[in-house]
Amino acid sequence: MVKNPVVTGISPKEGPPGTRVTIRGEFLGNKSTDLIGLTICGCDCLLSAEWKSDKKIIARTGAAKGKGDIIVITRQGGTGTSTVQFRAYYETIGPMKESAVWIEESPMQSLAWGRRSLAPTGYTQEDPLGLSNEGNEKKFPEDLRDMFPEGSGDLSQESFMPGWFLLENHHATSFEDLKAGLSYLRRRVESQKEGQLSFLKSNAGSVIDQLDTLMTLRDRITQDNRLHGKEPVAKLDKAIRGSIEASHELFREVLARKETADATRAALSAMSRHKFLFCLPNAVEKAAAKNEFDIVVNDYARVKNLFGKTEVPIFRRVLEEVDIKILAIRQQLHGKIKEMPQGVDQQKRMIKALISLEAQQAGTSVAGKLKVEDPAWDAIEARAKHLEETFLKAFEEYSEKETHGGSESKSHRHDPAVTPVRVQFCEEMTEIAASQFPDLWRLGQAYFTGELRGAAQPRPGNFKRIILTAIEQFCAYLRSALLATAGAHRSLSTVGAPKGLPSWPSVNPSLNFLITWLPHCLRYVRVSYATLIRLDLPNEALDIVLKLINELRLYCLSTILRKANERVKKLHERETWELTVVEFAGATSLPAKLREILVEAIDDAQVACLTPEVRESTLLEPQSDGQRELSKRFQDILGSFCKVLETLALQRSDEDPQQAPILSQLIGFPATLLHQQQQQQQQQQQQQLGNDGDKREWGANASITWEQRLLCCLSNCIYCNRHFFPQLGELFSRHGFPVPTLAIENSRSTVNALFASLLEMYVEHKSDPLVGTIEPSMYLGRFQWDLVGPSEKLSPYAHECLDNLVSVYSEIFAISPFLLRPLLEPIVQTVAEELARLMSCVQKFNVNGSLQARVDINVIRDAVRVYSNETAKSFFVEALDTIPAVPDSDVKIAETVKAIKSNVRLQIMCLQVVDP
């Protein structure tokens, strides 16, 4: 329901007629046409009202007086109400006072006591009571206009009221002073009423001077009457009339000669008109042959004005011949209008000439022989057809070059110095659109504004269709050439393109081509788009080109990210295995190289396509195709990086052992095999050093084993999951990109899965040979647990087990201490499980065997306690429970364990260092 307008404030709250006031309130209308009435103090002020908003109106007050309401009337809310009032009053207007309304002038009244009125400038009115204004400087607190609405405190006004005067000038004067002032005023009045005699006495000199002047004036008038008579004006009139007759007599011959010359000029003009008529048929033919159609129009209009209604037979025959010539010129003009190419100004001149000739020839006998309904519209259609044919010709020419360019074009296809055919086509199309489309639009605007329109009615719907079709064809041709390989992308479709357009040859450009030339093509399309914007085209037409620009920007972004993905896929070739990451030991420079690729891709995208221009929106708006494309391509890049990590971890050379050697010093054959493998590796390293000269970096592939590379990949996985991938979000935020959170989280999940797989591979690679040495070493030399003699040393198999664990520990610690716990815990668990299995398989223990077994298990358990998880601890407990208990042996076992731990303290100290 629409509410009535309410006025809640006005500024200023009082003023004379013409005061500019600001009215504030509620529901004062939704637009300027809603305001249909405004009265201030009962005076209509709608004419001066200026509607600003539904809460503000500015107007000027009328010739009102007194207090009154401010009433606003709107078209929907009706008559409103007012919670404030405005007080209107009239100011005393002098000759130098500006006023917005007309003030009736009235003569200044003299003072009551007979003094003359002086000019207001610089005049200070004397107080009639003869009192000082000291103590009355402050203004009277109440408004005197409300107390005396019809009065005034000015002594010179007819509405003077003594009460106003006293309150305004003497409201702080005491009563005694007022009585003294009254006495002063009475004395002044009495002095004014003294007799004329006293006045004459005081002004005797002035009176005598006036009498002398009057007597002199009388003598002069009497003297003039004697000399010139009592009516001297008659003689003056006679003299003036005589001078006029003499002047006419003087110029009578000149005027006669002028009349003769005018008659001669009229005769010559008539002869010239006739000559112009007879020469007109040849003259219009010559002018038309020179394309001077303005001369033809002017001459034909002139002859129609002069001889159009003549009844002279010879003139009629000449006019008929001229009409036939003009008809032929009209036919010639209609053909020239549709000839292309030509300038739009020349085309407009010919259209105006044709329309003028058709209108002038409307009433002649040849008017119906040529019927041209609308020459301007024919010109528009011809220009639109020429634009369409130009587009098609350029498309066919460059697509032919793309298809049948021969070996020469193929040899230059990857040459950056040679502009590709697609780019040449884009430049040609944008140049055509920028040069020809404005002419078509200006011609149409001149047609619809009436400049080129004849008697036919305009066709706005058809012109709109022509404009939209031309722009759609322009965009469709460019889309076919530049976005032909992007058809699989859901946002790069050609929906809305005109049907029947040919397609660009299916020659897929390379990524290098797209990276190099797509931004160049985008700039050309933007230049054409800026040209169309300056033409003030409707948004429906501009949006077609804007859609193409957004598709090119999105395709350019996709191409840049695809190129970055291709570079990421080749990162395994650039891995030097140098441990350059300070904050995370074991991580290589591979993540930093990925970051360099991403930064370079983001910078390229920012320069090429992400910075919006006129009327372009941000490409990476939330839930937009650009944001989805960025997230998808970024996820592909991170997925490729994870594949690179996996490739580097699984990549083995022929020299890398497929299984870790059995590190045993107790059995001969595996040790011999290990010695042979070490000799082969030393020979290969020497050969590599000989080939590389002084290159001795650990990052060379020949000097790092597969186990070390695997450990580096595991370190990279942890570093990427904990540090690098979260930092990528900051990288995107710093460049103003939306953070692809989903892609980062998916990549973290992928790298975690890869870490688990590689971890299992390394643990299996190390634990299987290590565990495989325990049982052969335990039973070396036909060892039996029921034949063990007294001993206070660690068994050889247990000593060897600790040495092997320290060896694995040192290999891991040399790469990354962060990997100690993840890798050693499953290996220790496997060792504990194997020891529990071996103890459970022993059929019989003697007392010394039980003591020795308990000592071995306790020493191994205490040595690997830091890296023992709950499962490993349970296996150690299970192994101890399997060994038969020996009564009163706890103290002896503890002492033996302590002594042995002192002997192998170096191994135990190594295994006590925890990961950071």
Side-chain angles (χ1 to χ4, degrees), residues 423-582:
V423 181
Q424 295 177 16
F425 171 70
C426 177
E427 294 175 355
E428 180 72 17
M429 289 292 291
T430 52
E431 183 178 354
I432 292 172
S435 60
Q436 296 191 21
F437 192 86
D439 293 342
L440 174 62
W441 177 254
R442 286 196 291 268
L443 187 63
Q445 293 303 302
Y447 172 69
F448 286 103
T449 55
E451 181 183 355
L452 303 178
R453 192 166 68 238
Q457 294 296 323
R459 310 174 189 180
N462 294 341
F463 183 69
K464 178 181 178 181
R465 175 184 53 79
I466 288 175
I467 293 296
L468 294 180
T469 301
I471 295 179
E472 287 173 353
Q473 288 180 350
F474 168 71
C475 295
Y477 283 126
L478 290 180
R479 185 180 287 109
S480 176
L482 301 178
L483 303 178
T485 60
H489 197 285
R490 62 173 181 271
S491 64
L492 305 180
S493 61
T494 58
V495 178
K499 296 181 179 179
L501 292 179
S503 58
W504 191 266
S506 57
V507 179
N508 293 332
S510 63
L511 276 177
N512 291 330
F513 162 81
L514 297 175
I515 290 292
T516 306
W517 295 104
L518 260 185
H520 178 79
C521 297
L522 179 60
R523 285 195 297 271
Y524 269 85
V525 177
R526 279 175 165 170
V527 170
S528 300
Y529 184 54
T531 303
L532 299 181
I533 292 177
R534 288 194 293 270
L535 296 177
D536 197 17
L537 290 175
N539 292 334
E540 183 179 358
L542 294 176
D543 290 342
I544 299 175
V545 186
L546 181 61
K547 180 182 178 183
L548 173 63
I549 291 177
N550 288 334
E551 291 177 359
L552 284 174
R553 293 172 63 196
L554 185 58
Y555 189 38
C556 188
L557 173 64
S558 176
T559 303
I560 292 174
L561 295 180
R562 284 163 51 202
K563 179 64 176 179
N565 190 18
E566 293 297 324
R567 294 177 59 189
V568 170
K569 290 180 180 179
K570 299 178 182 179
L571 278 179
H572 65 278
E573 301 175 359
R574 300 172 53 190
E575 178 60 277
T576 59
W577 303 105
E578 296 178 3
L579 309 181
T580 58
V581 181
V582 178

Side-chain angles (χ1 to χ4, degrees), residues 385-399:
K385 184 178 180 181
H386 173 68
L387 180 61
E388 179 181 351
E389 292 175 351
T390 306
F391 283 158
L392 180 59
K393 181 180 179 181
F395 184 86
E396 292 176 348
E397 176 184 353
Y398 286 98
S399 61

Side-chain angles (χ1 to χ4, degrees), residues 95-114:
M96 302 300 292
K97 179 70 175 179
E98 295 183 358
S99 176
V101 297
W102 179 261
I103 303 297
E104 293 293 337
E105 297 182 0
S106 60
M108 301 291 286
Q109 301 294 327
S110 62
L111 297 179
W113 47 87

Side-chain angles (χ1 to χ4, degrees), residues 511-802:
L511 276 177
N512 291 330
F513 162 81
L514 297 175
I515 290 292
T516 306
W517 295 104
L518 260 185
H520 178 79
C521 297
L522 179 60
R523 285 195 297 271
Y524 269 85
V525 177
R526 279 175 165 170
V527 170
S528 300
Y529 184 54
T531 303
L532 299 181
I533 292 177
R534 288 194 293 270
L535 296 177
D536 197 17
L537 290 175
N539 292 334
E540 183 179 358
L542 294 176
D543 290 342
I544 299 175
V545 186
L546 181 61
K547 180 182 178 183
L548 173 63
I549 291 177
N550 288 334
E551 291 177 359
L552 284 174
R553 293 172 63 196
L554 185 58
Y555 189 38
C556 188
L557 173 64
S558 176
T559 303
I560 292 174
L561 295 180
R562 284 163 51 202
K563 179 64 176 179
N565 190 18
E566 293 297 324
R567 294 177 59 189
V568 170
K569 290 180 180 179
K570 299 178 182 179
L571 278 179
H572 65 278
E573 301 175 359
R574 300 172 53 190
E575 178 60 277
T576 59
W577 303 105
E578 296 178 3
L579 309 181
T580 58
V581 181
V582 178
E583 61 269 23
F584 194 90
T588 65
S589 60
L590 198 64
K593 295 175 181 177
L594 172 62
R595 184 186 183 89
E596 292 176 1
I597 294 174
L598 289 177
V599 170
E600 183 178 350
I602 290 174
D603 292 339
D604 292 343
Q606 193 75 40
V607 173
C609 58
L610 291 182
T611 303
E613 295 188 2
V614 182
R615 286 190 85 252
E616 296 180 6
S617 59
T618 303
L619 190 62
L620 301 179
E621 292 180 349
Q623 305 299 323
S624 63
D625 291 337
Q627 186 174 6
R628 287 191 288 269
E629 180 70 11
L630 175 66
S631 178
K632 179 178 179 298
R633 295 300 177 187
F634 181 65
Q635 186 169 349
D636 293 342
I637 290 174
L638 294 185
S640 299
F641 181 72
C642 294
K643 289 288 187 182
V644 169
L645 290 177
E646 184 178 3
T647 301
L648 290 173
L650 300 179
Q651 184 178 9
R652 298 191 187 185
S653 62
D654 296 336
E655 293 80 8
D656 290 328
Q658 299 301 317
Q659 184 177 2
I662 302 175
L663 303 177
S664 176
Q665 301 299 325
L666 303 178
I667 53 180
F669 176 73
T672 304
L673 178 62
L674 175 62
H675 181 67
Q676 294 176 356
Q677 292 177 352
Q678 290 177 349
Q679 288 181 346
Q680 292 177 359
Q681 291 180 359
Q682 290 177 358
Q683 293 175 0
Q684 292 172 359
Q685 290 177 1
Q686 292 176 358
Q687 182 179 2
Q688 182 68 25
L689 289 173
N691 294 334
D692 295 344
D694 294 335
K695 183 179 179 182
R696 300 180 185 274
E697 296 181 357
W698 181 75
N701 291 339
S703 60
I704 182 173
T705 63
W706 175 77
E707 289 86 352
Q708 291 172 333
R709 295 198 299 268
L710 186 59
L711 290 174
C712 290
C713 292
L714 287 170
S715 299
N716 284 335
C717 290
I718 298 178
Y719 172 68
C720 291
N721 183 40
R722 294 182 183 177
H723 304 282
F724 181 68
F725 285 166
Q727 290 174 359
L728 293 180
E730 300 177 1
L731 173 65
F732 278 81
S733 300
R734 187 167 61 253
H735 286 79
F737 283 31
V739 179
T741 307
L742 181 60
I744 293 176
E745 293 301 324
N746 291 339
S747 301
R748 293 183 68 180
S749 301
T750 304
V751 81
N752 285 338
L754 176 61
F755 176 79
S757 176
L758 298 180
L759 179 69
E760 182 180 358
M761 181 186 301
Y762 184 84
V763 170
E764 182 179 355
H765 181 76
K766 288 295 182 180
S767 60
D768 288 350
L770 192 149
V771 171
T773 63
I774 297 176
E775 186 174 3
S777 299
M778 181 184 294
Y779 293 104
L780 187 67
R782 297 182 180 181
F783 173 81
Q784 297 294 329
W785 286 103
D786 56 349
L787 300 176
V788 177
S791 175
E792 294 182 357
K793 296 182 181 180
L794 190 64
S795 298
Y797 79 91
H799 204 289
E800 185 180 51
C801 182
L802 290 177

